[in-house]
Amino acid sequence: MKNRLSILVAIFCCLTTHAQEDLSLDYYLPQNVTYNPNIPTPKEVIGHEVGEWHVTHDKLSFYMQTLAKSTNRFTLEDRGTTFEGRPLLLLTVTAPENHSNLENIRKEHLALTNGQTGASTIENMPIVVYQGFSIHGNEPSGSNAALAYAYYLAAAQGLEIDAILKNTIILLDPSFNPDGLQRFAYWANIHKSQNLNPDGNEREYHEVWPGGRTNHYWFDMNRDWLPVQLPESRARIASFHKWMPNILTDHHEMGTNSTFFFQPGEPTRVHPLTPKINQELTKEIGTYHAKALDKIGSLYYSEENYDDYYYGKGSTFPDVNGSIGILFEQGSSRGHIQESENGVLTFPFTIRNQFTTALSTVAAANGMRTKILNYQQKYYQDLAQEATKEKSNAYIFGDEKDAAKAWHLAEILERQQIKFHELKEDAKINGKSYKKGSAYVVPLNQKNPRLIHAMFEKRTTFTDSLFYDVSAWTFPLAFNLDYEKVTSLNNAGNAVTALEPIAGKVSGQSNYAYLFSWNNYYAPKALNQITQQGLRAKVAKSPFTVEGNNYDYGTIMIPVQGQVMDSKELFAFLQTVAKESMLDITAVGTGSTVGIDLGSNDFDPIKKQKVALLVGNGVRSYDAGEIWHLFDTRYQMKITKIDTDYFNRVDLSSYTDLIIPSGYGSNILDKNGAEKIKEWVKDGGTVIGYRNVAQWFNKNGFLDLEMLKDTTLKAKNIPFDKRSDFYGAQVTGGAIFEANLDLTHPIGYGYKNDKISLFRNTNIYLKPEKNSFDNPIQYTTNPLQSGYISEENEALIKGSVPFKVKGLGSGKVILFTDNTNFRAFWYGTNKLMMNAIFFGPSM
Ligand SMILES: [Zn+2]
C-alpha cells in the first residue's frame, strides 16, 4: 500500500479534466498489497506516471529491461526486430524456483500436447498464460497497462502473488506492435495540453493518415496469426509454439462511446473446428473478469459484436491449437481524455480496466488451472484419435512451373510447426503434374490435423451470414497452387526438417540471348533488376521451342548484342539475378526456333519502370501498404508514394505507372487530379486502379463501366431490430471465387492454368465486354470456391468480370475490382499486378 489518500485523489481527478499531476500508480494497483521498495516504479525509470503521457515504445522497452535486471521473477527475451528496428521483447514471469527449472517445466507442459503425461502430474504443473497488448498501436491502453502490470508482477509481495507465480508461467508481451505504438504515442503526446481538453473535436483525437493502428507497412497485424507474413507475427507464433500457452489474451480498444468487452463473443459465430467446451471455458473465465470489473465499478459486456471465426486473429488462433484465446476491447479515450456517452473517459481509466482484466485473467488461470490443463491434454488426445482416423490421408500441393510460390506456402507450414515432406518423384494426380522440388506432401496423421484442415479446407455453408472478418482463407487457393487431398503417402519423400532456400542459376554463358520463364514468383524482381541496369529485355507474346526447350507466353528474352554490358559482364550479372530471384535463366545459341524466332516482332520491348503509388487521405492505407510492401520487400522495386495532399503539384511525366489503391468513398482526387492523370495516360502512362476506384474511373470518364446491381432485394418478415443483420448478410466480407483466365492475354502471362482463384471483398460486379478477347479474366458460371456470399450477390457475380483494360491516347487504364495483394499472403494473384505494370502497353 503506497498511499491510500492518493488513490482517492487520483480517482477524483481522473473524473475531472485537470490536475493530472495527482495521478498515482496506486490508482491501478490492487489494494492491501505491499510492494518491494527495491523494484523501480515506471515513473522512476521513464520519468512520468502511467497514463500521464502515452508511453513510447522506447520507454516501454527501457522499463522492461530495467525491471528484468531488478527481479529474479523475470527473464527477458529479445526475439528480433520490427521493420523499424524496434525490439520484440518477451518477459517470462514466474517464481524464481520455476525459473531455475524452466526448460523442464516447458518440456513437461509440451508433453500435454503430445499425449505423454498422466493426469496426476497436472496437479503440480503450472499453467501457461500468454498476455499480449495493443496489437493495434492506436489502442494504447493495453501497452500502457503493461507498465503497471509488469511492476505489479515484479514488486507485489504476499501469499497471493507467491501462489500465482508458483502456479503460472506468464509470457508477457508488452507491445505486439512496437512501430504502431510509437507512431501513436508521438501523435497523442504532441497534442497534449496542460489543461486536458475532452472536446472530441480536438486534433489530438484525430490522427493523421495512416494512423498508428498498423505496423510499418500499414498491415493489420491482428489478421496475420495464421499466415505469419510479418516479422512481429513470426516472433509471436514462435513463442506460441515454443510454449503452447493455455490462455492467450489480446488487449484492444474500440469506439469511445463503448464500455468494455470480453469474450466469449457471438455464440453463433464460432468456427466449427473450435470445440464447444472452448467457449464454455471462455465463459467461465469471463466470470472472473466480471467480478473484477464489478469491484472497480466499470461497465462491460460479453457475447455480442465480436466473433471467433477467422483463425488469423489473436483471440481465435489459440482456439484451434487447444488453447483459449480471449479478446478484450476497451472504449478508447484515443488521446488523454474524451467526452463520451458514458461520461468523461480518461486515459488512466482505460488503462485501469486493462490492468484489472490482466490480473483477473491470471486469477482465472489459477482458479481453473487443472481444468484448463486437462482441457488442453484432452484436446490433443482427441486430435490423436482424429489423426489416426486420417490414416494415410494427405494434402499434396505445388506448381510445376513455380517452385518459389510452393516454397512460401511450405514456409507457413514450417512456422506453424506442421510436418510435411518433399515430393518423392514427379507425379500426375487428377490431371495435374507435380514436380519434385516444387511440390510438398502434408500428412494429416500428425499432431494437429485440425490446424491443417483450417488452412486447406474449402467451406461454403455457414450457420450465420455475418462475419467480423473474412469468411475464407483457403491457402492453396490464395497461392493459386495445384492441390489435392490424397489417400496414400506413396508420393511422400523425405520429411522436410528445415526448408532450404531455392537455388537459381544460369545454364551457361551465351553470345546470343538468355531466356527465362515468367511463371516463377520472383520473375518480376529479376526483370526489374535487369531493366534498371539499362539492359534491354523483351517479352514473348507467343510460345516457341528452341534447343529442345518449350517456352510459354510471357517468356523474357535478353539479347546479348548491343547491351550496356559486354557478354562476359552480362553473364556475371545474370548469375546474380538468378541467385537473388531464385530462378533459372537459360543461355541459347540461336534465334531460330519452332514458333516465333527471337528476332520476331511478337517480342515486345519492356520499359524501365518507374512506379508511383497514390497514398494519403482518401486512400485505404491497408491496400496501399500491401502494394508498398510487395514492391519493397518481395520484388525489391522502388515505388514512389505520392500523397493526395500534394498530388496536383507533382510532375508525373517521368513515371511509367500510377497505382491508385481502393479509396474511402469515390472522391479520391478532385477534378484537377483526374484531368492531370488523364493527360498523362494519353501521353503513354499506365494507370492501375483497384476496387472502388471503379466508380471514380466511371465518374471521371476513364472507363465506361456498367455495374450490375440487384434491384429485387426487399426485407420480408424482418423485424426492426434485425435490420442491420439483414444488410450485413449482403456484405461480401472476403471470399474466394474462380475465374477463367485467358493465358494468351498479357494479364495471364506467367500462369499455367486457365482458371484462377481471386480474393474479393467488394460488391462491385461489372458487365463483361461484347468481345470475348476483351474479357481475359471472367468469373465462371459457378464461381464460389470458399467463403460466404449472399444469394443475390452470387447471382450477380456469375459471368461478370473483375478486370478491365482500355486504351486512352497512347496509354492504358486498368482496373481490378478484386484485391490481388491481400494481406501479404495472396501470393497467387500478385503476378496480375506485375503483368499490368510490365505488360500494360502490350494489352
Ligand atoms: Zn484492435
Side-chain angles (χ1 to χ4, degrees), residues 706-751:
E706 195 171 329
M707 315 245 179
L708 304 169
K709 291 232 161 30
D710 179 77
T711 50
T712 61
L713 185 68
K714 278 196 184 65
K716 291 182 194 102
N717 302 318
I718 309 276
F720 179 73
D721 77 336
K722 290 282 180 292
R723 70 197 183 287
S724 70
D725 292 6
F726 170 74
Y727 289 117
Q730 294 302 323
V731 172
T732 307
I736 307 172
F737 299 92
E738 186 179 61
N740 291 311
L741 181 64
D742 181 349
L743 300 177
T744 74
H745 192 286
I747 197 66
Y749 290 176
Y751 287 93

Tab-separated table of all heavy atoms in Angstrom, residues 706-751:
chain	number	residue	atom	x	y	z
A	706	GLU	N	-20.428	-0.674	-66.818
A	706	GLU	CA	-21.801	-0.981	-66.433
A	706	GLU	C	-21.765	-1.866	-65.193
A	706	GLU	O	-21.244	-2.984	-65.223
A	706	GLU	CB	-22.537	-1.684	-67.576
A	706	GLU	CG	-24.034	-1.673	-67.337
A	706	GLU	CD	-24.821	-2.163	-68.556
A	706	GLU	OE1	-24.344	-1.957	-69.696
A	706	GLU	OE2	-25.877	-2.761	-68.346
A	707	MET	N	-22.262	-1.325	-64.090
A	707	MET	CA	-22.243	-2.067	-62.821
A	707	MET	C	-23.540	-2.863	-62.678
A	707	MET	O	-24.626	-2.312	-62.868
A	707	MET	CB	-22.127	-1.101	-61.648
A	707	MET	CG	-21.079	-0.032	-61.861
A	707	MET	SD	-19.750	-0.186	-60.692
A	707	MET	CE	-18.694	1.152	-61.212
A	708	LEU	N	-23.382	-4.117	-62.300
A	708	LEU	CA	-24.556	-4.970	-62.131
A	708	LEU	C	-25.070	-4.821	-60.699
A	708	LEU	O	-24.312	-4.931	-59.741
A	708	LEU	CB	-24.184	-6.422	-62.416
A	708	LEU	CG	-23.553	-6.654	-63.798
A	708	LEU	CD1	-22.957	-8.054	-63.900
A	708	LEU	CD2	-24.598	-6.442	-64.880
A	709	LYS	N	-26.367	-4.546	-60.588
A	709	LYS	CA	-26.952	-4.332	-59.246
A	709	LYS	C	-28.201	-5.189	-59.079
A	709	LYS	O	-28.927	-5.437	-60.040
A	709	LYS	CB	-27.341	-2.852	-59.075
A	709	LYS	CG	-26.153	-1.915	-58.997
A	709	LYS	CD	-26.268	-1.039	-57.757
A	709	LYS	CE	-25.001	-0.378	-57.280
A	709	LYS	NZ	-23.961	-0.015	-58.127
A	710	ASP	N	-28.437	-5.573	-57.848
A	710	ASP	CA	-29.650	-6.325	-57.548
A	710	ASP	C	-30.732	-5.332	-57.127
A	710	ASP	O	-30.541	-4.523	-56.236
A	710	ASP	CB	-29.389	-7.317	-56.414
A	710	ASP	CG	-30.638	-8.089	-56.061
A	710	ASP	OD1	-30.985	-9.008	-56.815
A	710	ASP	OD2	-31.286	-7.739	-55.053
A	711	THR	N	-31.850	-5.376	-57.820
A	711	THR	CA	-32.916	-4.410	-57.505
A	711	THR	C	-34.095	-5.087	-56.809
A	711	THR	O	-35.079	-4.448	-56.482
A	711	THR	CB	-33.421	-3.746	-58.803
A	711	THR	OG1	-33.707	-4.774	-59.750
A	711	THR	CG2	-32.404	-2.796	-59.378
A	712	THR	N	-33.951	-6.396	-56.594
A	712	THR	CA	-35.101	-7.130	-56.043
A	712	THR	C	-35.054	-7.223	-54.514
A	712	THR	O	-36.032	-7.602	-53.891
A	712	THR	CB	-35.125	-8.572	-56.590
A	712	THR	OG1	-33.914	-9.213	-56.175
A	712	THR	CG2	-35.222	-8.593	-58.095
A	713	LEU	N	-33.893	-6.885	-53.934
A	713	LEU	CA	-33.721	-7.119	-52.504
A	713	LEU	C	-34.708	-6.305	-51.658
A	713	LEU	O	-34.706	-5.077	-51.688
A	713	LEU	CB	-32.284	-6.763	-52.100
A	713	LEU	CG	-31.906	-7.078	-50.650
A	713	LEU	CD1	-31.857	-8.585	-50.428
A	713	LEU	CD2	-30.582	-6.441	-50.283
A	714	LYS	N	-35.564	-7.014	-50.942
A	714	LYS	CA	-36.508	-6.353	-50.034
A	714	LYS	C	-36.621	-7.195	-48.782
A	714	LYS	O	-36.644	-8.421	-48.845
A	714	LYS	CB	-37.887	-6.247	-50.699
A	714	LYS	CG	-38.002	-5.070	-51.634
A	714	LYS	CD	-39.445	-4.736	-51.969
A	714	LYS	CE	-39.502	-3.615	-52.982
A	714	LYS	NZ	-38.911	-4.020	-54.287
A	715	ALA	N	-36.701	-6.516	-47.648
A	715	ALA	CA	-36.844	-7.247	-46.394
A	715	ALA	C	-38.272	-7.782	-46.271
A	715	ALA	O	-39.231	-7.034	-46.421
A	715	ALA	CB	-36.519	-6.327	-45.229
A	716	LYS	N	-38.364	-9.086	-46.034
A	716	LYS	CA	-39.691	-9.676	-45.831
A	716	LYS	C	-39.670	-10.376	-44.477
A	716	LYS	O	-38.810	-11.206	-44.230
A	716	LYS	CB	-39.996	-10.697	-46.936
A	716	LYS	CG	-40.190	-10.047	-48.295
A	716	LYS	CD	-40.531	-11.083	-49.370
A	716	LYS	CE	-40.379	-10.482	-50.750
A	716	LYS	NZ	-39.147	-10.881	-51.430
A	717	ASN	N	-40.601	-10.018	-43.635
A	717	ASN	CA	-40.683	-10.594	-42.286
A	717	ASN	C	-39.420	-10.379	-41.466
A	717	ASN	O	-39.065	-11.196	-40.627
A	717	ASN	CB	-40.986	-12.107	-42.353
A	717	ASN	CG	-42.265	-12.372	-43.100
A	717	ASN	OD1	-43.247	-11.648	-42.916
A	717	ASN	ND2	-42.258	-13.383	-43.958
A	718	ILE	N	-38.701	-9.280	-41.740
A	718	ILE	CA	-37.509	-8.943	-40.939
A	718	ILE	C	-37.914	-7.828	-39.971
A	718	ILE	O	-38.274	-6.738	-40.403
A	718	ILE	CB	-36.348	-8.428	-41.822
A	718	ILE	CG1	-36.066	-9.374	-42.987
A	718	ILE	CG2	-35.095	-8.150	-40.978
A	718	ILE	CD1	-35.190	-10.540	-42.704
A	719	PRO	N	-37.894	-8.103	-38.663
A	719	PRO	CA	-38.272	-7.049	-37.709
A	719	PRO	C	-37.196	-5.960	-37.622
A	719	PRO	O	-36.058	-6.160	-38.050
A	719	PRO	CB	-38.405	-7.800	-36.382
A	719	PRO	CG	-37.567	-9.015	-36.539
A	719	PRO	CD	-37.550	-9.359	-37.999
A	720	PHE	N	-37.583	-4.834	-37.044
A	720	PHE	CA	-36.733	-3.646	-36.923
A	720	PHE	C	-35.365	-3.971	-36.311
A	720	PHE	O	-34.327	-3.543	-36.803
A	720	PHE	CB	-37.475	-2.617	-36.067
A	720	PHE	CG	-36.715	-1.351	-35.829
A	720	PHE	CD1	-36.553	-0.420	-36.855
A	720	PHE	CD2	-36.160	-1.086	-34.575
A	720	PHE	CE1	-35.841	0.752	-36.640
A	720	PHE	CE2	-35.461	0.095	-34.351
A	720	PHE	CZ	-35.304	1.005	-35.387
A	721	ASP	N	-35.363	-4.774	-35.237
A	721	ASP	CA	-34.095	-4.994	-34.531
A	721	ASP	C	-33.187	-6.001	-35.254
A	721	ASP	O	-32.097	-6.283	-34.805
A	721	ASP	CB	-34.333	-5.392	-33.066
A	721	ASP	CG	-34.760	-6.841	-32.911
A	721	ASP	OD1	-35.297	-7.407	-33.882
A	721	ASP	OD2	-34.571	-7.389	-31.817
A	722	LYS	N	-33.639	-6.516	-36.384
A	722	LYS	CA	-32.784	-7.426	-37.160
A	722	LYS	C	-32.351	-6.760	-38.478
A	722	LYS	O	-31.810	-7.404	-39.370
A	722	LYS	CB	-33.528	-8.736	-37.471
A	722	LYS	CG	-33.750	-9.616	-36.242
A	722	LYS	CD	-32.470	-10.374	-35.874
A	722	LYS	CE	-32.641	-11.255	-34.651
A	722	LYS	NZ	-32.844	-10.524	-33.385
A	723	ARG	N	-32.640	-5.449	-38.604
A	723	ARG	CA	-32.378	-4.818	-39.896
A	723	ARG	C	-30.882	-4.752	-40.232
A	723	ARG	O	-30.501	-4.890	-41.388
A	723	ARG	CB	-33.026	-3.425	-39.967
A	723	ARG	CG	-32.380	-2.374	-39.073
A	723	ARG	CD	-33.299	-1.186	-38.874
A	723	ARG	NE	-32.671	-0.130	-38.089
A	723	ARG	CZ	-32.447	-0.196	-36.770
A	723	ARG	NH1	-32.783	-1.281	-36.083
A	723	ARG	NH2	-31.867	0.809	-36.133
A	724	SER	N	-30.030	-4.579	-39.188
A	724	SER	CA	-28.605	-4.496	-39.528
A	724	SER	C	-28.067	-5.872	-39.930
A	724	SER	O	-27.170	-5.980	-40.768
A	724	SER	CB	-27.798	-3.881	-38.386
A	724	SER	OG	-27.743	-4.771	-37.308
A	725	ASP	N	-28.626	-6.939	-39.367
A	725	ASP	CA	-28.245	-8.289	-39.810
A	725	ASP	C	-28.670	-8.507	-41.263
A	725	ASP	O	-27.969	-9.142	-42.045
A	725	ASP	CB	-28.922	-9.365	-38.940
A	725	ASP	CG	-28.386	-9.356	-37.517
A	725	ASP	OD1	-27.582	-8.450	-37.206
A	725	ASP	OD2	-28.779	-10.236	-36.736
A	726	PHE	N	-29.829	-7.947	-41.596
A	726	PHE	CA	-30.353	-8.080	-42.961
A	726	PHE	C	-29.375	-7.453	-43.955
A	726	PHE	O	-29.023	-8.053	-44.970
A	726	PHE	CB	-31.734	-7.409	-43.030
A	726	PHE	CG	-32.290	-7.268	-44.414
A	726	PHE	CD1	-32.785	-8.378	-45.091
A	726	PHE	CD2	-32.319	-6.033	-45.048
A	726	PHE	CE1	-33.302	-8.258	-46.374
A	726	PHE	CE2	-32.828	-5.902	-46.326
A	726	PHE	CZ	-33.319	-7.012	-46.996
A	727	TYR	N	-28.923	-6.246	-43.650
A	727	TYR	CA	-27.949	-5.602	-44.540
A	727	TYR	C	-26.579	-6.282	-44.447
A	727	TYR	O	-25.889	-6.444	-45.446
A	727	TYR	CB	-27.833	-4.105	-44.214
A	727	TYR	CG	-29.063	-3.324	-44.618
A	727	TYR	CD1	-29.843	-2.669	-43.673
A	727	TYR	CD2	-29.450	-3.281	-45.958
A	727	TYR	CE1	-30.986	-1.971	-44.050
A	727	TYR	CE2	-30.596	-2.590	-46.339
A	727	TYR	CZ	-31.361	-1.935	-45.381
A	727	TYR	OH	-32.481	-1.255	-45.770
A	728	GLY	N	-26.222	-6.679	-43.239
A	728	GLY	CA	-24.917	-7.335	-43.034
A	728	GLY	C	-24.775	-8.583	-43.883
A	728	GLY	O	-23.690	-8.894	-44.375
A	729	ALA	N	-25.882	-9.291	-44.084
A	729	ALA	CA	-25.835	-10.535	-44.866
A	729	ALA	C	-25.505	-10.277	-46.330
A	729	ALA	O	-25.131	-11.195	-47.060
A	729	ALA	CB	-27.173	-11.267	-44.742
A	730	GLN	N	-25.646	-9.020	-46.766
A	730	GLN	CA	-25.325	-8.681	-48.158
A	730	GLN	C	-23.850	-8.284	-48.334
A	730	GLN	O	-23.387	-8.066	-49.449
A	730	GLN	CB	-26.224	-7.530	-48.653
A	730	GLN	CG	-27.694	-7.906	-48.754
A	730	GLN	CD	-27.946	-9.081	-49.682
A	730	GLN	OE1	-27.302	-9.220	-50.709
A	730	GLN	NE2	-28.859	-9.960	-49.294
A	731	VAL	N	-23.133	-8.190	-47.219
A	731	VAL	CA	-21.715	-7.808	-47.300
A	731	VAL	C	-20.887	-9.008	-47.753
A	731	VAL	O	-21.051	-10.111	-47.242
A	731	VAL	CB	-21.219	-7.320	-45.909
A	731	VAL	CG1	-19.708	-7.104	-45.914
A	731	VAL	CG2	-21.952	-6.050	-45.505
A	732	THR	N	-20.031	-8.791	-48.754
A	732	THR	CA	-19.074	-9.828	-49.137
A	732	THR	C	-17.765	-9.469	-48.432
A	732	THR	O	-16.952	-8.696	-48.923
A	732	THR	CB	-18.902	-9.874	-50.661
A	732	THR	OG1	-20.211	-10.001	-51.251
A	732	THR	CG2	-18.049	-11.051	-51.093
A	733	GLY	N	-17.614	-10.018	-47.240
A	733	GLY	CA	-16.523	-9.589	-46.355
A	733	GLY	C	-15.179	-10.152	-46.729
A	733	GLY	O	-14.149	-9.704	-46.237
A	734	GLY	N	-15.173	-11.161	-47.595
A	734	GLY	CA	-13.904	-11.761	-48.006
A	734	GLY	C	-14.113	-13.219	-48.319
A	734	GLY	O	-14.269	-14.046	-47.420
A	735	ALA	N	-14.199	-13.537	-49.629
A	735	ALA	CA	-14.407	-14.914	-50.045
A	735	ALA	C	-13.613	-15.146	-51.327
A	735	ALA	O	-13.059	-14.205	-51.896
A	735	ALA	CB	-15.893	-15.185	-50.247
A	736	ILE	N	-13.560	-16.409	-51.755
A	736	ILE	CA	-12.682	-16.781	-52.867
A	736	ILE	C	-13.528	-17.266	-54.044
A	736	ILE	O	-14.401	-18.119	-53.876
A	736	ILE	CB	-11.697	-17.877	-52.423
A	736	ILE	CG1	-10.967	-17.427	-51.144
A	736	ILE	CG2	-10.693	-18.187	-53.532
A	736	ILE	CD1	-10.116	-18.504	-50.504
A	737	PHE	N	-13.234	-16.724	-55.213
A	737	PHE	CA	-14.038	-17.007	-56.402
A	737	PHE	C	-13.144	-17.421	-57.562
A	737	PHE	O	-12.027	-16.923	-57.715
A	737	PHE	CB	-14.852	-15.768	-56.798
A	737	PHE	CG	-15.797	-15.336	-55.714
A	737	PHE	CD1	-15.407	-14.395	-54.772
A	737	PHE	CD2	-17.059	-15.899	-55.613
A	737	PHE	CE1	-16.261	-14.013	-53.753
A	737	PHE	CE2	-17.923	-15.515	-54.595
A	737	PHE	CZ	-17.525	-14.570	-53.660
A	738	GLU	N	-13.707	-18.302	-58.398
A	738	GLU	CA	-12.950	-18.829	-59.531
A	738	GLU	C	-13.293	-18.065	-60.805
A	738	GLU	O	-14.462	-17.770	-61.065
A	738	GLU	CB	-13.290	-20.304	-59.731
A	738	GLU	CG	-12.448	-20.975	-60.790
A	738	GLU	CD	-12.815	-22.445	-60.932
A	738	GLU	OE1	-13.988	-22.735	-61.273
A	738	GLU	OE2	-11.943	-23.297	-60.692
A	739	ALA	N	-12.239	-17.763	-61.562
A	739	ALA	CA	-12.444	-17.092	-62.846
A	739	ALA	C	-11.684	-17.838	-63.936
A	739	ALA	O	-10.695	-18.524	-63.666
A	739	ALA	CB	-11.960	-15.654	-62.768
A	740	ASN	N	-12.168	-17.690	-65.165
A	740	ASN	CA	-11.419	-18.178	-66.318
A	740	ASN	C	-10.348	-17.156	-66.662
A	740	ASN	O	-10.594	-15.946	-66.588
A	740	ASN	CB	-12.350	-18.355	-67.521
A	740	ASN	CG	-13.321	-19.501	-67.307
A	740	ASN	OD1	-12.915	-20.595	-66.918
A	740	ASN	ND2	-14.605	-19.252	-67.528
A	741	LEU	N	-9.193	-17.642	-67.049
A	741	LEU	CA	-8.076	-16.756	-67.358
A	741	LEU	C	-7.583	-17.059	-68.773
A	741	LEU	O	-7.278	-18.204	-69.096
A	741	LEU	CB	-6.953	-16.986	-66.335
A	741	LEU	CG	-5.689	-16.137	-66.476
A	741	LEU	CD1	-5.985	-14.652	-66.262
A	741	LEU	CD2	-4.626	-16.593	-65.462
A	742	ASP	N	-7.513	-16.018	-69.601
A	742	ASP	CA	-7.006	-16.169	-70.970
A	742	ASP	C	-5.477	-16.095	-70.925
A	742	ASP	O	-4.902	-15.026	-70.723
A	742	ASP	CB	-7.586	-15.035	-71.835
A	742	ASP	CG	-7.133	-15.116	-73.281
A	742	ASP	OD1	-6.219	-15.915	-73.590
A	742	ASP	OD2	-7.700	-14.373	-74.119
A	743	LEU	N	-4.840	-17.252	-71.110
A	743	LEU	CA	-3.378	-17.322	-70.946
A	743	LEU	C	-2.624	-16.637	-72.080
A	743	LEU	O	-1.416	-16.430	-71.995
A	743	LEU	CB	-2.932	-18.785	-70.821
A	743	LEU	CG	-3.524	-19.553	-69.638
A	743	LEU	CD1	-3.073	-21.015	-69.661
A	743	LEU	CD2	-3.141	-18.905	-68.313
A	744	THR	N	-3.341	-16.282	-73.167
A	744	THR	CA	-2.665	-15.622	-74.288
A	744	THR	C	-2.680	-14.103	-74.132
A	744	THR	O	-2.017	-13.387	-74.854
A	744	THR	CB	-3.354	-15.976	-75.632
A	744	THR	OG1	-4.605	-15.260	-75.724
A	744	THR	CG2	-3.600	-17.463	-75.755
A	745	HIS	N	-3.478	-13.619	-73.172
A	745	HIS	CA	-3.551	-12.173	-72.907
A	745	HIS	C	-2.413	-11.812	-71.942
A	745	HIS	O	-2.157	-12.560	-70.999
A	745	HIS	CB	-4.914	-11.855	-72.277
A	745	HIS	CG	-5.222	-10.395	-72.209
A	745	HIS	ND1	-4.618	-9.557	-71.301
A	745	HIS	CD2	-6.071	-9.615	-72.932
A	745	HIS	CE1	-5.080	-8.324	-71.460
A	745	HIS	NE2	-5.964	-8.332	-72.450
A	746	PRO	N	-1.756	-10.658	-72.137
A	746	PRO	CA	-0.641	-10.312	-71.243
A	746	PRO	C	-1.001	-10.318	-69.750
A	746	PRO	O	-0.129	-10.550	-68.916
A	746	PRO	CB	-0.247	-8.906	-71.710
A	746	PRO	CG	-0.614	-8.895	-73.166
A	746	PRO	CD	-1.857	-9.719	-73.272
A	747	ILE	N	-2.276	-10.127	-69.392
A	747	ILE	CA	-2.643	-10.178	-67.971
A	747	ILE	C	-2.504	-11.610	-67.434
A	747	ILE	O	-2.329	-11.817	-66.227
A	747	ILE	CB	-4.083	-9.633	-67.718
A	747	ILE	CG1	-4.306	-9.294	-66.230
A	747	ILE	CG2	-5.163	-10.607	-68.185
A	747	ILE	CD1	-3.487	-8.167	-65.707
A	748	GLY	N	-2.542	-12.597	-68.339
A	748	GLY	CA	-2.445	-14.003	-67.918
A	748	GLY	C	-1.042	-14.590	-68.014
A	748	GLY	O	-0.846	-15.767	-67.683
A	749	TYR	N	-0.065	-13.794	-68.457
A	749	TYR	CA	1.300	-14.328	-68.580
A	749	TYR	C	1.817	-14.825	-67.225
A	749	TYR	O	1.589	-14.195	-66.192
A	749	TYR	CB	2.272	-13.248	-69.102
A	749	TYR	CG	2.080	-12.859	-70.551
A	749	TYR	CD1	2.846	-11.832	-71.108
A	749	TYR	CD2	1.163	-13.505	-71.373
A	749	TYR	CE1	2.702	-11.449	-72.439
A	749	TYR	CE2	1.004	-13.135	-72.698
A	749	TYR	CZ	1.767	-12.099	-73.231
A	749	TYR	OH	1.616	-11.725	-74.530
A	750	GLY	N	2.507	-15.943	-67.275
A	750	GLY	CA	3.099	-16.473	-66.047
A	750	GLY	C	2.173	-17.409	-65.284
A	750	GLY	O	2.535	-17.926	-64.236
A	751	TYR	N	0.959	-17.608	-65.806
A	751	TYR	CA	0.047	-18.584	-65.198
A	751	TYR	C	-0.008	-19.810	-66.093
A	751	TYR	O	0.060	-19.691	-67.314
A	751	TYR	CB	-1.351	-17.988	-65.011
A	751	TYR	CG	-1.375	-16.972	-63.887
A	751	TYR	CD1	-1.186	-15.622	-64.141
A	751	TYR	CD2	-1.550	-17.384	-62.567
A	751	TYR	CE1	-1.179	-14.688	-63.107
A	751	TYR	CE2	-1.544	-16.459	-61.525
A	751	TYR	CZ	-1.356	-15.119	-61.801
A	751	TYR	OH	-1.339	-14.211	-60.780
